[in-house]
Amino acid sequence: MRGQENKLFAHIDWGLLSVYFILVFLGISNVYSSVFDPDNPGLFSLDTEHGKQIMWFGVSLFLGIVIFFLESNFIRKYAYWFYGFTMLLLIAVLFTSPINGARSWFGFGGVGIQPSEFAKIGVAMALARFIDQNSSSKESRSLKNVSGLSTLWGIIPFILKNKETALILGLPCVLVLLQPDAGTFIIFTSFLLVLYREGYAGNILLFLVIAVIIAVITLLVADTNFMFLFTKIKLSGNAGIIIVLVLLAGIFAAIIRSFVMKRNRKPLYRSLIGSFLIAVIFVNFVEIGYTNILQSHQKERIDLLLGKIDDPDGKGYNINRAKAAIGSGGFMGKGFKSATLANASQRHVPMQSTDFIFCTWSEERGFIGAFVLVGLYTFLLLKMVVMAERQRSVFTRVYAYCVASIFFYHFMINVGMAIGLAPVIGIPLPFFSYGGSSMMSFSVLIFILLKLDSERKVVLQ
Amino acid sequence: MRNIENRKYVIALIFLIIPLIFIVRLFYMQVVDTQWKERAAQISENRITTYPARGIVYDRNGVKIISNEVYYDIHVIPKQTNNTDSIALTKLLGISMDEYVSKMNKARNYSRRKPSELVRQIPPNEFSVIAPELYKYPGFFEVARTLRVYPKKIAAHVLGYMNEANGTDIEKDSYYKSGDYIGRSGIEKMYEKELRGQRGVKYYLQDAIGLSTGKYENGDYDTLAVQGQNLSLSIDWELQAYGEKLMQNKLGSIVAIEPATGEILAMISAPTYDPNLLVGRHLGANYGALAEDTLLPLQNRSLNSAYPPGSIFKTVMALIGMQEGVITENASFPCNKALAGCHNHPTAMNVSDGVKMSCNPYFIQLVRRIVQQGKDKSIFKDAAIGLDIWAKYVRSFGIGTDLQVDYPTNVHGNVPDAAYYDKHLNFRWAFSTIQSIAIGQGEVLITPLEMANLAAILANRGYFIPPHFIKSIDQGEIPEIYRTKKYTMVDSAYFEPVIDGMWRVVHEDGGTARRARLDSIAICGKTGTVENFKRISGKVYQLTDHSNFMAFAPRDNPQIAISVFIENSGFGGTWSAPLASLMIEKYITGTVADTAKENRILNANLIPDAEDIIRK
Ligand SMILES: [Zn+2]
């Protein structure tokens, strides 16, 4: 029995496990504080959100123990099966009746389950499995070389030559967009970080940064007009960007002409034209997406973030209340159970126990608390990178990066939204936002990682 | 492959940079920038002001003359309203649908979360019908506010009125907020700070729809409302009411002072009005009507108008002459009608005679001795020196000076001195030019209050205490100046002959105020007549004279000093003197014995009509 125990919990990363427990503890205490009702102060009542959260934590621990009794090979072997199962759930959920305009929930007698939370685990496992399999075959080496193209032009061959990867990622993306759930869709784009680490499309991050800059500029000038220099011709903001892109292309062409030897010019010209075309297509794509595809409330959220509209008591109500709650926390915070804005009884900050839970924490714990929380997440993320990098198993490494990327996106978007640096997207802050599905899925992500990591030496044998 | 290995650093860097940006942003939002704290307070805190009850005002005998009554304003918080049955509500509140719609729109435009006023000042009897129905209309609620009520309906001019603080008031004193009431005239204005008390503030936390969810910081910042201080005035409400009754259908004023204390017992300005007219919802309309009345009912004639004193001024002349040593009490001057008009009377053999007979030439010759004392060879320079000495004496009687009465006024009488005539006359002047001042005509002006104060000085034989309304503030002491005697420049020894003359004015045959005589009380008085000119379309007409009378009683140990001024009533002895005697009798004995005399006054209508002007 003793040997069994030793084997089961041997080589566990206690650091990660500790941060997990600390975050869960702080998270539940914070939900308790945010929904605290002096008339009904019970801690363990299942009628309260914190009571339910404690229950979900118990379920998560149970799942964790089950995972620890599984063999790592079992997890690897059945990765696709699990992925397939979660995809079926995503398809099945589309046949439920919508709640708040989206088909995202399965209801089981008062308990709601969000399959998209579990789909993250499925995608992480499938992606890890797929890259693991390919890394051991010769075919994948050439594939990597192709995908390592140094130009943006390479994005199209990249997608064509990695049909399987595109499928693994694309299927859940399409399914969550059908719900529709833009927040989870954005989370799925976090796997691009994993692909980057695994050697796909080297400039994908640079590409992302440039794309974000161009997108922001395009959105800023969307629906605007300006007078073309020295003339009376009225042009749309969109046309202005394209004019600037033409000018930039001309400048780069001139630079190439002046500084690059003639025989090397040809591929550079080709890249330049390719990049230019992609940029023009992208600008139009963003603009059409913004004006024609986005729903009006999504457009408003973007406009609010970019400062195009200012309406603190109307369209900007949520974010204005959220920022006021956080800002009013000051250096030391107002104290436990003392939030006057992000509190269930005051109701100034909407969704204060779920999407805007960071407000309660920051209002009650102040800058000190916010600093500690951001620090804990940073530690968690870096810990995961360290754990990923110490693996000899490609599966575990890719899986660890998947988990890190998912946590990073949730953290970045949720906190960024609350402090006005990201648009309002309803996704939970891991272990802090109230919600059973997210508590379980984030816990399972961590427990699988712990399990896989604990056997890193076994793989060596 | 090395290249790809290094990508872990890029990812770690991203995992560091984003949190770092968040930390900087959070530090800025939570520690550096104060705008979010202000915004949070704006969103989550609410202050509720508690208004203290304004101080109650009593008369000298402890009878309430100003009290408070609770009125109700109906307010609305647009966000809390829910399916309002506007037809039933407008019916209940007694407002028109148009008014309701426009007020609701205004309220919504102002704020959806904050209360706005819908109906103002519903009296308690009307509100008792509304109160049990109001719960059916969420978002609508009553705000109690106390308004003034004047139970005795007297002394409108003295007590003053209140209305809403305007921009200037708010700018001057940050205590006031829009919608507050402020004393606008009279005692309400003068003792505003004492009466208003101190507003209390309670800070509440409010939820998203503006409902209170608890005290802010355990109420540490809350302040309690402090009740306004109660005042006791020197006014005797029964005497005041009696005076107002006597002055009905007359224009003019009565001022009665207790000589020993300077306390004003009554101050009547006719015509008067019910002070309750200037309270509540109808204040604006009533004020407008009173302001348009050609008889100027809003004007306090006792304080805010100055007239030539006429013959009553002669008492002061005699006193100055004796003090200055230019005459003795046995001085006699012939009734030289070349100097001034006079009636037929025996020659005045002494000061007492002069006062009793009110001989104009007597006093012109007397004052010439004061003004032209021969201190300079030039009669002009001599007159200037003498006039300034004279003016200083006169002012020591409070005439033409600030009497420091506790009433918002800046009207004083006028005592001309050398500088005054140098300024107003474009030729050299000596006493003969200005001699009408000796008989209280010309440039000398006196207010009815100064006249009553003069009567008090005579009663006190040489001093006065600045006349005042305040008797006590919350049972406490009154200001030092209202307890301090101010002496005139005339020694008390010189007063007896003048007082003797004044006694004879009332009590001897041939006196001008025989109608003031009472069997029980020795009254000392002096009548006066003030010529009344009126300029009508460029032409000056002489109208029926104004008459006045000043008196004190009893002669020994006086209890009341009084001045009566009645416009267009002719000779002072006819109306003013008997009216004063009724007041004196009422105050000292509590009753009036001679009802015929009383009825004669009550039934007299001395308000001039248009024909009066044409007749003259
Ligand atoms: Zn005479």
Side-chain angles (χ1 to χ4, degrees):
Chain A
M1 194 64 197
R2 191 179 158 80
Q4 174 80 1
E5 248 176 46
N6 276 344
K7 201 190 165 199
L8 200 60
F9 295 105
H11 311 301
I12 275 208
D13 191 290
W14 294 103
L16 182 66
L17 193 63
S18 307
V19 177
Y20 167 73
F21 282 122
I22 292 169
L23 285 173
V24 168
F25 173 75
L26 294 180
I28 291 174
S29 78
N30 193 47
V31 168
Y32 173 69
S33 178
S34 106
V35 301
F36 180 72
D37 175 2
D39 300 331
N40 186 12
L43 185 56
F44 295 106
S45 163
L46 284 182
D47 295 333
T48 61
E49 293 192 346
H50 52 272
K52 286 181 191 160
Q53 196 74 343
I54 290 169
M55 180 194 81
W56 290 122
F57 175 55
V59 174
S60 301
L61 278 183
F62 171 76
L63 290 175
I65 289 165
V66 170
I67 287 163
F68 266 83
F69 278 103
L70 296 174
E71 288 287 326
S72 286
N73 269 330
F74 177 85
I75 296 170
R76 248 193 301 272
K77 208 170 161 186
Y78 289 97
Y80 287 142
W81 287 96
F82 188 70
Y83 172 79
F85 174 66
T86 56
M87 290 307 113
L88 281 177
L89 288 180
L90 282 184
I91 292 166
V93 84
L94 295 176
F95 295 96
T96 62
S97 51
I99 298 168
N100 295 331
R103 297 170 157 83
S104 309
W105 296 85
F106 286 122
F108 299 109
V111 178
I113 294 292
Q114 238 182 324
S116 58
E117 290 295 333
F118 298 98
K120 290 171 203 163
I121 309 172
V123 174
M125 286 167 69
L127 199 61
R129 180 80 175 129
F130 177 75
I131 293 172
D132 182 26
Q133 283 174 333
N134 279 282
S135 68
S136 51
S137 69
K138 280 183 183 177
E139 194 190 347
S140 71
R141 301 237 173 249
S142 62
L143 187 130
K144 264 187 190 165
N145 289 339
V146 175
S147 60
L149 279 172
S150 58
T151 64
L152 295 175
W153 190 229
I155 193 84
I156 291 166
F158 160 73
I159 291 172
L160 290 177
K161 298 214 170 165
N162 294 280
K163 295 186 214 47
E164 299 91 339
T165 315
L167 184 72
I168 290 170
L169 291 181
L171 180 63
C173 284
V174 171
L175 289 173
V176 294
L177 282 178
L178 287 174
Q179 290 183 0
D181 179 359
T184 307
F185 166 75
I186 287 168
I187 295 303
F188 283 130
T189 66
S190 70
F191 294 110
L192 289 175
L193 271 178
V194 182
L195 298 185
Y196 168 75
R197 172 61 189 89
E198 290 310 311
Y200 289 74
N203 284 346
I204 196 160
L205 290 184
L206 185 64
F207 172 80
L208 274 176
V209 170
I210 293 171
V212 166
I213 292 169
I214 292 179
V216 167
I217 294 171
T218 308
L219 294 172
L220 276 174
V221 300
D223 306 333
T224 62
N225 293 299
F226 72 103
M227 293 293 197
F228 191 59
L229 284 175
F230 313 119
T231 68
K232 295 213 163 154
I233 305 163
K234 210 175 208 178
L235 290 174
S236 70
N238 193 358
I241 294 178
I242 289 168
I243 290 167
V244 172
L245 286 173
V246 169
L247 288 174
L248 279 175
I251 290 166
F252 278 114
I255 291 169
I256 291 167
R257 216 183 134 88
S258 317
F259 298 102
V260 179
M261 279 187 291
K262 205 169 186 175
R263 60 163 182 259
N264 292 339
R265 282 179 199 163
K266 208 169 182 179
L268 286 173
Y269 280 140
R270 217 167 53 193
S271 303
L272 186 65
I273 292 165
S275 307
F276 172 72
L277 287 177
I278 288 171
V280 171
I281 291 165
F282 181 67
V283 165
N284 283 291
F285 175 76
V286 169
E287 218 218 339
I288 290 165
Y290 172 75
T291 39
N292 301 333
I293 296 174
L294 283 188
Q295 289 166 302
S296 63
H297 73 275
Q298 289 166 327
K299 241 173 110 170
E300 275 164 12
R301 286 171 183 182
I302 289 168
D303 289 347
L304 283 166
L305 181 70
L306 297 176
K308 282 169 85 175
I309 53 176
D310 181 33
D311 186 7
D313 289 323
K315 292 164 184 154
Y317 183 89
N318 296 5
I319 192 64
N320 182 268
R321 296 301 187 275
K323 283 162 141 182
I326 294 169
S328 70
F331 191 72
M332 293 300 292
K334 297 179 185 170
F336 190 55
K337 297 191 287 194
S338 302
T340 55
L341 280 91
N343 177 288
S345 61
Q346 307 294 122
R347 285 173 291 166
H348 289 295
V349 178
M351 298 168 285
Q352 100 291 342
S353 69
T354 55
D355 295 347
F356 284 103
I357 192 70
F358 185 71
C359 299
T360 304
W361 178 261
S362 303
E363 189 182 354
E364 295 187 344
R365 306 300 185 166
F367 175 72
I368 294 284
F371 182 87
V372 167
L373 186 60
V374 172
L376 281 170
Y377 272 110
T378 311
F379 176 81
L380 182 80
L381 293 171
L382 294 177
K383 180 83 199 169
M384 286 172 178
V385 172
V386 169
M387 285 170 74
E389 292 297 337
R390 73 186 175 201
Q391 305 302 326
R392 291 295 163 92
S393 153
V394 175
F395 179 84
T396 309
R397 185 183 71 214
V398 174
Y399 177 78
Y401 269 115
C402 284
V403 176
S405 302
I406 292 168
F407 273 84
F408 174 65
Y409 261 52
H410 274 274
F411 166 72
M412 176 173 72
I413 292 170
N414 185 283
V415 175
M417 162 185 84
I419 61 179
L421 294 179
V424 176
I425 295 167
I427 58 165
L429 183 63
F431 310 125
F432 268 70
S433 291
Y434 164 70
S437 300
S438 68
M439 170 63 92
M440 285 190 290
S441 71
F442 288 124
S443 296
V444 167
L445 280 172
I446 295 265
F447 283 127
I448 292 176
L449 177 60
L450 281 169
K451 175 67 186 173
L452 293 172
D453 177 67
S454 72
E455 295 186 358
R456 63 189 181 272
K457 285 173 182 157
V458 178
V459 178
L460 269 180
Q461 289 160 4
Chain B
M1 290 312 274
R2 260 196 80 77
N3 187 25
I4 286 172
E5 281 297 308
N6 285 338
R7 289 184 179 184
K8 68 185 176 201
Y9 297 115
V10 176
I11 290 176
L13 199 66
I14 294 169
F15 286 1
L16 273 172
I17 286 172
I18 296 290
L20 204 65
I21 292 170
F22 286 0
I23 292 295
V24 172
R25 169 78 172 174
L26 282 163
F27 187 77
Y28 182 74
M29 277 176 74
Q30 296 187 288
V31 183
V32 181
D33 191 0
T34 56
Q35 70 151 313
W36 295 112
K37 288 169 196 65
E38 286 156 18
R39 180 71 183 141
Q42 202 183 348
I43 291 166
S44 68
E45 291 161 22
N46 194 9
R47 44 187 293 166
I48 294 174
T49 309
T50 47
Y51 291 90
R54 197 171 167 89
I56 307 291
V57 178
Y58 300 92
D59 91 330
R60 65 187 295 112
N61 300 315
V63 176
K64 265 185 208 172
I65 50 175
I66 311 182
S67 185
N68 295 317
E69 195 160 52
V70 178
Y71 281 64
Y72 297 89
D73 296 347
I74 303 294
H75 286 213
V76 60
I77 295 177
K79 201 178 167 118
Q80 293 172 4
T81 61
N82 182 18
N83 293 328
T84 308
D85 180 354
S86 51
I87 293 171
L89 183 64
T90 51
K91 211 174 146 194
L92 180 67
L93 298 178
I95 55 173
S96 71
M97 184 55 83
D98 287 348
E99 193 185 349
Y100 173 79
V101 170
S102 85
K103 286 245 173 97
M104 284 300 289
N105 284 336
K106 218 173 135 192
R108 273 187 220 104
N109 288 340
Y110 165 65
S111 168
R112 295 186 59 79
R113 290 152 196 285
K114 289 183 189 154
S116 295
E117 186 182 280
L118 190 65
V119 188
R120 167 173 298 195
Q121 293 162 5
I122 299 173
N125 57 335
E126 288 177 36
F127 184 70
S128 64
V129 181
I130 295 168
E133 299 288 313
L134 205 58
Y135 78 93
K136 292 179 190 164
Y137 305 93
F140 296 86
F141 58 95
E142 79 278 10
V143 174
R145 99 154 54 229
T146 59
L147 288 182
R148 285 312 223 190
V149 59
Y150 303 90
K152 297 297 180 190
K153 302 179 183 170
I154 53 154
H157 299 96
V158 174
L159 304 180
Y161 72 99
M162 303 182 66
N163 66 9
E164 249 177 77
N166 58 35
T168 324
D169 301 319
I170 294 165
E171 203 174 293
K172 246 191 251 169
D173 185 345
S174 59
Y175 178 85
Y176 296 100
K177 307 244 171 331
S178 180
D180 280 358
Y181 272 63
I182 184 169
R184 194 54 77 195
S185 71
I187 294 299
E188 296 280 23
K189 180 178 181 181
M190 193 72 202
Y191 290 100
E192 168 70 15
K193 282 219 166 74
E194 287 79 5
L195 289 169
R196 78 183 179 196
Q198 183 71 42
R199 258 197 314 261
V201 182
K202 283 184 179 157
Y203 292 90
Y204 285 102
L205 290 173
Q206 64 175 12
D207 68 10
I209 58 168
L211 296 175
S212 163
T213 56
K215 285 186 168 180
Y216 174 72
E217 297 278 323
N218 295 319
D220 288 351
Y221 297 94
D222 295 359
T223 52
L224 283 175
V226 179
Q227 165 93 31
Q229 290 176 290
N230 295 339
L231 304 184
S232 289
L233 297 188
S234 56
I235 294 285
D236 178 323
W237 88 265
E238 283 176 289
L239 184 67
Q240 176 79 23
Y242 185 62
E244 289 182 10
K245 198 167 132 196
L246 293 175
M247 284 300 281
Q248 64 193 4
N249 297 320
K250 295 161 195 75
L251 306 178
S253 69
I254 305 172
V255 180
I257 296 176
E258 184 177 65
T261 59
E263 288 172 1
I264 299 168
L265 300 169
M267 180 181 275
I268 293 114
S269 175
T272 185
Y273 57 92
D274 180 351
N276 294 298
L277 288 175
L278 298 186
V279 176
R281 280 188 283 185
H282 308 297
L283 190 158
N286 290 339
Y287 187 89
L290 289 169
E292 278 174 18
D293 193 324
T294 53
L295 298 179
L296 307 176
L298 289 174
Q299 194 192 341
N300 185 350
R301 289 166 155 88
S302 301
L303 276 163
N304 291 334
S305 54
Y307 317 82
S311 297
I312 63 149
F313 198 54
K314 291 167 183 168
T315 56
V316 182
M317 300 303 98
L319 290 167
I320 298 171
M322 286 184 282
Q323 178 71 38
E324 192 61 10
V326 296
I327 58 161
T328 66
E329 63 173 287
N330 293 316
S332 172
F333 295 100
C335 181
N336 179 357
K337 293 201 171 65
L339 284 171
C342 201
H343 54 104
N344 292 320
H345 60 85
T347 302
M349 299 309 293
N350 51 37
V351 166
S352 175
D353 280 356
V355 170
K356 183 207 159 186
M357 294 163 187
S358 199
C359 176
N360 288 339
Y362 183 100
F363 284 94
I364 288 172
Q365 293 165 78
L366 190 163
V367 175
R368 168 173 289 136
R369 286 204 191 165
I370 302 170
V371 173
Q372 306 274 203
Q373 290 191 30
K375 292 186 176 176
D376 196 288
K377 278 176 203 158
S378 152
I379 61 155
F380 303 112
K381 283 185 185 166
D382 188 42
I385 295 166
L387 186 68
D388 281 352
I389 293 169
W390 172 87
K392 218 171 140 190
Y393 270 108
V394 176
R395 286 186 189 128
S396 78
F397 284 79
I399 297 166
T401 65
D402 182 0
L403 282 177
Q404 294 174 295
V405 63
D406 48 351
Y407 187 94
T409 179
N410 52 8
V411 176
H412 314 308
N414 184 45
V415 179
D417 52 15
Y420 178 88
Y421 283 116
D422 287 343
K423 193 179 159 199
H424 286 89
L425 298 178
N426 52 4
F427 49 86
R428 302 197 76 181
W429 55 271
F431 179 71
S432 54
T433 325
I434 58 165
Q435 66 178 21
S436 63
I437 61 170
I439 54 171
Q441 304 284 0
E443 292 75 18
V444 185
L445 300 175
I446 194 166
T447 67
L449 177 69
E450 288 170 357
M451 195 166 23
N453 190 52
L454 175 58
I457 291 169
L458 290 159
N460 289 335
R461 277 73 169 172
Y463 70 86
F464 68 97
I465 291 170
H468 54 275
F469 290 105
I470 196 71
K471 197 162 165 62
S472 70
I473 301 172
D474 251 352
Q475 313 301 325
E477 280 206 322
I478 56 170
E480 177 77 30
I481 56 157
Y482 298 140
R483 288 180 280 134
T484 311
K485 290 176 183 175
K486 293 183 101 174
Y487 284 89
T488 62
M489 289 163 66
V490 177
D491 296 341
S492 62
Y494 295 115
F495 278 77
E496 219 39 58
V498 174
I499 289 166
D500 187 60
M502 288 171 70
W503 182 85
R504 292 165 66 201
V505 164
V506 179
H507 292 272
E508 280 187 1
D509 289 342
T512 53
R514 291 178 312 278
R515 284 179 190 275
R517 196 178 300 169
L518 294 173
D519 296 334
S520 53
I521 303 160
I523 296 177
C524 301
K526 182 77 196 79
T527 57
T529 303
V530 183
E531 289 178 312
N532 178 15
F533 298 97
K534 189 162 186 171
R535 186 179 290 271
I536 297 167
S537 27
K539 212 170 156 194
V540 176
Y541 295 85
Q542 181 161 21
L543 309 185
T544 311
D545 294 335
H546 302 317
S547 82
N548 60 18
F549 182 69
M550 79 168 176
F552 65 87
R555 178 172 177 168
D556 298 315
N557 197 12
Q559 293 173 42
I560 182 170
I562 191 166
S563 77
V564 175
F565 182 94
I566 305 176
E567 295 177 16
N568 309 83
S569 62
F571 174 60
T574 315
W575 298 108
S576 296
L579 198 154
S581 78
L582 291 171
M583 289 289 284
I584 290 169
E585 189 184 8
K586 177 82 177 173
Y587 179 67
I588 294 177
T589 69
T591 175
V592 169
D594 188 346
T595 49
K597 188 178 184 178
E598 185 181 41
N599 284 331
R600 176 177 168 267
I601 302 283
L602 286 175
N603 295 330
N605 186 339
L606 300 173
I607 296 177
D609 49 24
E611 284 173 35
D612 182 66
I613 295 165
I614 294 158
R615 237 184 354 250
K616 288 286 158 180

